[in-house]
Amino acid sequence: MAKIGLNNFRYSILTEAEDGTPTYAGAKKPAKAIDCKVNIENNSAELYADDGLAESDYSFKKGTASITIDEDNDEMMSEMLGHAIDKETGEMVRKDTDTAPFIGFGRIISKLVGGVQKYKVEFLPKVKFAEPSQEDTTKGESVEFKTTTLEGTVMKLADGTWSRTKTFTDKQEAITYLESLLAKTA
């Protein structure tokens, strides 16, 4: 398998019921996908008994997700980071009391498997993104593009789920599946 592309970022605000059931507010596209890195941290515990390894635990602990997007529009950024848009002025206002919501986040990875193009949906059902750092430079003799990178913490749902993955041979089917994971439920 060779990964050959990344596209179709989707997100939605997550609400977890008291019993742990997740619901989402409907799939939204934050911006075009440039880059995505997901790093997983596992528990690491080993028990030795009778001069040998008797038990081990390498289960999911938490993770980090870093996504780079081509546009940081205020509406999307305010929703993903918990900021408000002033209805009269249209400006995004950041306050130290703002709290980013939990969101579901997914993407589609294009890949080649045995010469056949496939589309793998990678979905993280519970992520909380943090305010991005900003780096801007003046235009010099040549244009240099700058993009926005959001970094967040990947967590597990009440039932222990921290990721869902499914591979398709049709890109539209992959998009439909990804959006169904974030579909608004009654």
Side-chain angles (χ1 to χ4, degrees):
M1 173 210 51
K3 294 180 182 179
I4 60 171
L6 171 71
N7 56 77
N8 285 283
F9 282 168
R10 296 290 188 275
Y11 78 97
S12 183
I13 301 296
L14 163 67
T15 303
E16 286 185 275
E18 285 186 33
D19 68 357
T21 303
T23 58
Y24 297 96
K28 293 184 178 182
K29 185 172 184 170
K32 291 180 181 177
I34 294 175
D35 186 68
C36 181
K37 295 179 184 107
V38 177
N39 294 306
I40 301 305
E41 187 178 328
N42 293 312
N43 293 309
S44 180
E46 296 176 338
L47 173 68
Y48 287 85
D50 285 342
D51 294 333
L53 182 63
E55 298 289 340
S56 63
D57 176 17
Y58 305 111
S59 58
F60 174 82
K61 182 190 263 183
K62 67 177 184 173
T64 57
S66 176
I67 65 169
T68 304
I69 52 179
D70 73 329
E71 170 61 33
D72 62 351
N73 75 67
D74 291 342
E75 183 180 328
M76 177 270 303
M77 294 292 280
S78 68
E79 186 172 52
M80 289 182 74
L81 300 173
H83 302 307
I85 301 268
D86 185 294
K87 293 184 191 304
E88 291 181 25
T89 65
E91 73 181 345
M92 180 172 64
V93 179
R94 295 179 179 102
K95 294 185 179 181
D96 64 348
T97 54
D98 293 345
T99 302
F102 292 111
I103 65 168
F105 174 79
R107 66 205 184 276
I108 297 175
I109 300 162
S110 302
K111 59 185 190 170
L112 278 177
V113 180
V116 177
Q117 187 153 355
K118 296 191 177 188
Y119 305 93
K120 183 177 184 179
V121 174
E122 291 276 348
F123 177 67
L124 302 169
K126 187 174 183 179
V127 182
K128 183 179 270 199
F129 284 102
E131 194 70 34
S133 297
Q134 297 181 23
E135 179 184 340
D136 304 302
T137 57
T138 190
K139 184 170 115 177
E141 290 183 20
S142 62
V143 176
E144 181 182 342
F145 290 111
K146 296 286 185 178
T147 55
T148 298
T149 300
L150 293 171
E151 296 196 19
T153 302
V154 178
M155 292 167 254
K156 59 186 174 184
L157 295 171
D159 70 359
T161 303
W162 66 269
S163 176
R164 292 182 182 271
T165 302
K166 189 170 181 180
T167 302
F168 298 85
T169 55
D170 181 80
K171 185 175 183 178
Q172 188 55 52
E173 286 179 16
I175 293 169
T176 300
Y177 171 74
L178 175 56
E179 290 181 347
S180 76
L181 293 172
L182 296 165
K184 190 172 194 171
T185 50

